Amino acid sequence: MKFLKVSLIVLLAIAFVVGSTGCKKAAPPTPAVEKLKVAFVYVGPHNDGGYSQAHEDGRLYLQQNDPNVETTYSESIPEGAQSEKTFRDYAAAGYKLIFGTSFGFMDAMVNAAKDNPTVKFMHASGYKRSDNLGTYFGRMEQPDYLAGLVAGKMTKTNKIGFVLPFSIPECIREVDSFTVGLREVNPTATVTVVYTNSWYDPAKEGDAAKSLLNKGCDVIASGVDSPAPLDEAFKAGKYGIGYDMDMAAGMKTADEAKSVLTSRIWHWGPYYLKVAKAVEDGTWTSGDYWGGMADGIVDIAPISSAVPQSVIDYVNTRKQLILDGKYTPFDGPMINQKGETVVPAGTTMSDADQLNLQWFVQGVIGEIPKSGS
Amino acid sequence: MLRFEKRDKTPVRLRVLVPICSVLLGLFVGSVVMLFARVNPLRVYGAVVKGAFGSAYTFSETLVIAVPLILISAGLCLVYRMKFFNIGAKGQYIMGAICGSYLALFGPATMPRPLLLTLMMVLGTIGGALWAIIPALLKAYWNVNEVIATLLLNYIASYILWYLMYGTWRDQRSHGFPLSKSFALNAQLPRILPAPSRLHIGLFFGLVAAGIVWIIIRKTRFGYEGRVLGENERAARYAGINVFKTIIIAAAISGGLAGLAGIAHTSAVLRILQLEINSDYGYTAIIAAWLAGLDPLVAVGVSVLLAALEAGGYQIQIVMRVPFGIVGVIESAILFCLLAGEIVTHYRVSLTRRLTA
């Protein structure tokens, strides 16, 4: 097959010619001041209307408030093999601060950080750290708890559905604190959990919500990245509770916005600005950041007009307690699904236990798959 | 009506001109799509080339992707010549990764590194080979269509990996996330260039495999019998060729190389077993084998080019923020035009007023 050999050579030649002309055009003038190049790697589309978009908002905040940075992002990067290449490519392209915003990027970032010691890596929600790999996350449990209060007051069937991506501690914490709030105001209500085994898969998320609605749930809480579960809840004439962003604001109609009781939301921007400044000053060190509502990194979105004012007032008083550091959803007594008291009254679950949480509280219907090896 | 007439002999000028025009046409079709996406095609093509060959790092990343493609396509060249259409390289790659990883995750920790790595590669090769022998047996004994059998076995392999990752092979410290333990240093195939390059000694496996398969096809009785079998199975039987044996051995070689690609990539590049282990290389390698005209040495070059397109594709997303999907469009446009070009090289195409009876 001689002609294919020839064509290969020709292909290469063309590629190089095209490449060299393209490069000349693309070459930018060298900037006078070296800017800090910051990259963000998202697991979903940057405009997913949820988790990745919340990070994208944070990136834009950073870009607008720090003239010394140059930021970019990669979207829809699958966890695992492909993400490692993206992290390495950014490091090779001169990016000095790289944020990876999904749990499954963890080992890819560990590997990339090891081979690029001069680049600072920041991994959201992970637990593996090194000299140039830090971790950060927010205590979403606090808004989860407040959303649970709203759900407990609004449900008529006393059945809440929770669409959950994975059974990792981050997600278990959300369900547990939500249920604590729910049963504080409605002791007979239950939370049914369905897993999608994916962070971003609107079709699967919608199907999961449908199955929960068919089981009689009348409030659907989302722990996944897209607003699809809320759309299904609205179509069925039920309520939804959003995640990541104020999902009511993204809805097409006022009626649908009203069906979103509230959302548990992220405000990454100020934190990203702080990290970028620390890298610019040379004061950045690896560590773990886990901020709560008092820091402003997590919050609860404005509550829907469908919710009575008395409920909103109650939520606000509880919110104030959290802001004042007088209450956390992990204060005892906490009782597991078998009815055993795991966290006694008067104590609070330690951060370490929260980070490894692998059990559901009483009132949750669902299982955590067993781990092997 | 269009009329196709098989050429006796393809003129030399067509052999050269058609592929060039096909690639140009493919690039042009890709450009049109890019213009709709409001990006400058010349800059995108420039960024792809730069992203694939522009620096020592990017070129080594291109080769990292090329290694599994070279290994898999070499084996496919052999079986496709026998008209055994193995579409199951993806599944064989996964089974190779699983079998080899078993030793990495559960093998004795004290085993010396060279021995452990050798055993891992051997186990991976055997795993891939066994996964390819299943459809070969089905074909040999019951004449089950191998396209369907190998394709469906891909899904079974994927779900075996899922089962293990969500089940007993899951790292307890992964908090329910489908990941194995990280491979210990002993179980990592050595890389051959300093960090951050990930190029590993699997490159030599690939080059050696391509050479050996070329020799098998060209210089051995087995290769000759396989070619006869591919041309005319009945003639092969009359000539006393053991069709069963030939198909099964060839399938085992093809599956074994795919399995070796799987464990080499997992051990050297990923260093962990997870749901996503780049098993789609098993499909890309099919394209590499066909474009190479089933010549394993040409397939080395084609593999590097296809790898360059993929590596460059990652870069354009980073450099120009172009959606990765654009790369898929360019890739398919070029392939489509090359395949269409094949028709023109092998057939004389003419317009006629009506069908001749």
Side-chain angles (χ1 to χ4, degrees), chain B residues 256-298:
Chain B
L257 287 175
L260 178 61
I263 185 57
H265 190 76
T266 304
S267 157
V269 177
L270 308 178
R271 298 171 169 179
I272 191 169
L273 197 62
Q274 55 197 0
L275 298 183
E276 205 336 271
I277 54 172
N278 292 125
S279 55
D280 279 352
Y281 292 156
Y283 290 133
T284 314
I286 297 175
I287 301 169
W290 275 115
L291 283 183
L294 304 185
D295 181 323
L297 295 184
V298 179

Side-chain angles (χ1 to χ4, degrees), chain A residues 4 88-89 127 356 370 373, chain B residues 57 170 173 175 196 291 305:
Chain A
L4 267 164
R88 287 170 175 276
D89 283 358
Y127 58 85
N356 290 298
K370 293 266 180 298
S373 62
Chain B
Y57 165 76
R170 181 160 56 180
R173 292 208 324 130
H175 304 303
L291 283 183
L305 276 185

Side-chain angles (χ1 to χ4, degrees), chain B:
Chain B
M1 287 298 270
L2 274 178
R3 188 154 161 262
F4 294 88
E5 197 182 336
K6 196 158 173 59
R7 295 179 195 275
D8 294 335
K9 203 166 158 263
T10 310
V12 178
R13 100 193 127 78
L14 269 188
R15 289 187 188 181
V16 181
L17 274 179
V18 169
I20 296 176
C21 294
S22 304
V23 171
L24 287 177
L25 192 63
L27 292 174
F28 175 74
V29 172
S31 310
V32 173
V33 176
M34 277 182 254
L35 287 176
F36 275 110
R38 290 168 189 275
V39 283
N40 180 346
L42 275 181
R43 282 192 59 198
V44 171
Y45 289 135
V48 169
V49 174
K50 204 163 157 248
F53 302 109
S55 72
Y57 165 76
T58 51
F59 186 52
S60 84
E61 281 293 296
T62 298
L63 291 180
V64 166
I65 300 173
V67 167
L69 297 183
I70 292 170
L71 276 167
I72 302 170
S73 60
L76 292 180
C77 288
L78 181 68
V79 280
Y80 287 172
R81 276 171 185 270
M82 302 180 186
K83 299 245 161 52
F84 182 83
F85 295 112
N86 175 13
I87 310 295
K90 175 179 172 142
Q92 292 141 19
Y93 177 100
I94 293 173
M95 292 314 283
I98 291 175
C99 292
S101 298
Y102 175 79
L103 215 52
L105 297 171
F106 305 103
T110 52
M111 201 186 279
R113 189 176 185 192
L115 180 64
L116 176 66
L117 285 174
T118 309
L119 287 179
M120 279 168 63
M121 297 305 128
V122 170
L123 261 185
T125 309
I126 293 175
L130 288 178
W131 208 244
I133 286 176
I134 299 171
L137 286 174
L138 291 176
K139 165 126 176 162
Y141 284 99
W142 292 294
N143 208 19
V144 175
N145 185 320
E146 77 279 10
V147 175
I148 308 286
T150 52
L151 183 68
L152 292 181
L153 280 166
N154 286 347
Y155 293 96
I156 298 178
S158 287
Y159 285 115
I160 291 177
L161 181 61
W162 273 61
Y163 170 76
L164 294 172
M165 289 293 94
Y166 278 106
T168 49
W169 286 25
R170 181 160 56 180
D171 179 11
Q172 233 157 21
R173 292 208 324 130
S174 79
H175 304 303
F177 213 75
L179 300 168
S180 77
K181 275 186 281 198
S182 299
F183 285 15
L185 181 66
N186 258 6
Q188 296 174 4
L189 205 59
R191 295 179 179 173
I192 52 181
L193 292 174
S197 163
R198 296 189 288 175
L199 190 58
H200 53 95
I201 59 169
L203 179 64
F204 303 119
F205 300 172
L207 296 178
V208 169
I212 291 178
V213 172
W214 188 86
I215 292 170
I216 291 177
I217 292 173
R218 295 291 160 121
K219 308 283 177 193
T220 67
R221 186 176 156 180
F222 174 76
Y224 172 75
E225 291 179 346
R227 268 190 291 161
V228 175
L229 177 60
E231 294 294 327
N232 188 334
E233 189 187 328
R234 199 169 285 175
R237 285 184 200 277
Y238 285 137
I241 293 172
N242 188 335
V243 175
F244 285 15
K245 203 174 121 193
T246 311
I247 286 185
I248 287 167
I249 293 176
I253 293 174
S254 164
L257 287 175
L260 178 61
I263 185 57
H265 190 76
T266 304
S267 157
V269 177
L270 308 178
R271 298 171 169 179
I272 191 169
L273 197 62
Q274 55 197 0
L275 298 183
E276 205 336 271
I277 54 172
N278 292 125
S279 55
D280 279 352
Y281 292 156
Y283 290 133
T284 314
I286 297 175
I287 301 169
W290 275 115
L291 283 183
L294 304 185
D295 181 323
L297 295 184
V298 179
V300 172
V302 178
S303 295
V304 173
L305 276 185
L306 289 178
L309 206 51
E310 176 153 339
Y314 278 98
Q315 287 279 335
I316 61 168
Q317 207 194 352
I318 286 175
V319 180
M320 306 189 55
R321 189 114 33 91
V322 172
F324 190 71
I326 291 277
V327 182
V329 172
I330 303 171
E331 199 171 347
S332 359
I334 293 176
L335 291 177
F336 196 81
C337 293
L338 275 173
L339 290 177
E342 289 272 281
I343 294 175
V344 186
T345 38
H346 293 303
Y347 294 86
R348 197 191 314 271
V349 184
S350 53
L351 272 171
T352 53
R353 265 172 209 283
R354 59 182 157 160
L355 274 176
T356 41

Side-chain angles (χ1 to χ4, degrees), chain A residues 37-316:
Chain A
K37 289 171 89 178
V38 187
F40 289 77
V41 181
Y42 307 139
V43 71
H46 75 284
N47 52 358
D48 65 357
Y51 185 77
S52 294
Q53 192 168 341
H55 286 284
E56 173 66 2
D57 287 349
R59 180 184 77 86
L60 294 172
Y61 179 93
L62 167 64
Q63 184 72 71
Q64 280 153 14
N65 289 284
D66 186 346
N68 296 320
V69 297
E70 182 191 318
T71 68
T72 187
Y73 68 85
S74 285
E75 61 187 342
S76 300
I77 300 298
E79 295 175 330
Q82 294 182 41
S83 67
E84 187 174 335
K85 175 145 179 59
T86 304
F87 288 111
R88 287 170 175 276
D89 283 358
Y90 271 124
Y95 285 81
K96 289 297 171 199
L97 173 59
I98 303 173
F99 292 93
T101 64
S102 193
F103 181 83
F105 293 156
M106 184 160 61
D107 288 273
M109 295 187 77
V110 171
N111 290 345
K114 201 172 141 204
D115 285 345
N116 294 283
T118 61
V119 180
K120 314 282 186 261
F121 290 85
M122 288 295 289
H123 181 213
S125 76
Y127 58 85
K128 292 186 181 171
R129 281 174 288 279
S130 64
D131 284 348
N132 61 327
L133 169 61
T135 52
Y136 65 100
F137 211 56
R139 295 179 190 269
M140 192 44 97
E141 301 71 55
Q142 298 169 349
D144 285 329
Y145 159 80
L146 298 174
L149 296 175
V150 177
K153 290 287 192 186
M154 297 302 290
T155 177
K156 293 191 179 68
T157 61
N158 289 340
K159 285 184 186 168
I160 316 292
F162 212 119
V163 182
L164 212 58
F166 296 99
S167 60
I168 60 175
E170 168 192 339
C171 306
I172 309 282
R173 286 200 301 273
E174 293 212 40
V175 172
D176 279 357
S177 49
F178 180 88
T179 309
V180 165
L182 176 77
R183 286 170 70 102
E184 178 183 318
V185 296
N186 190 342
T188 57
T190 58
V191 174
T192 306
V193 170
V194 171
Y195 300 103
T196 60
N197 285 323
S198 161
W199 290 114
Y200 179 78
D201 190 338
K204 236 194 226 173
E205 293 162 15
D207 286 346
K210 268 188 224 164
S211 75
L212 289 166
L213 290 160
N214 288 339
K215 282 183 190 164
C217 298
D218 65 350
V219 179
I220 300 295
S222 165
V224 287
D225 289 6
S226 95
L230 308 190
D231 291 338
E232 293 301 332
F234 172 69
K235 277 188 222 155
K238 311 291 182 196
Y239 295 123
I241 290 179
Y243 178 45
D244 301 314
M245 306 182 62
D246 183 359
M247 285 186 168
M251 291 305 174
K252 285 182 210 82
T253 64
D255 279 349
E256 188 166 7
K258 202 173 160 186
S259 79
V260 180
L261 297 177
T262 184
S263 301
R264 304 100 68 209
I265 55 178
W266 294 103
H267 287 304
W268 298 105
Y271 177 72
Y272 285 152
L273 184 62
K274 210 172 76 186
V275 174
K277 289 278 188 206
V279 172
E280 288 164 43
D281 300 345
T283 55
W284 184 92
T285 51
S286 168
D288 184 45
Y289 168 79
W290 201 18
M293 287 179 82
D295 281 14
I297 195 162
V298 290
D299 202 353
I300 183 165
I303 295 172
S304 159
S305 59
V307 179
Q309 188 59 40
S310 60
V311 176
I312 298 179
D313 291 341
Y314 182 69
V315 170
N316 283 335

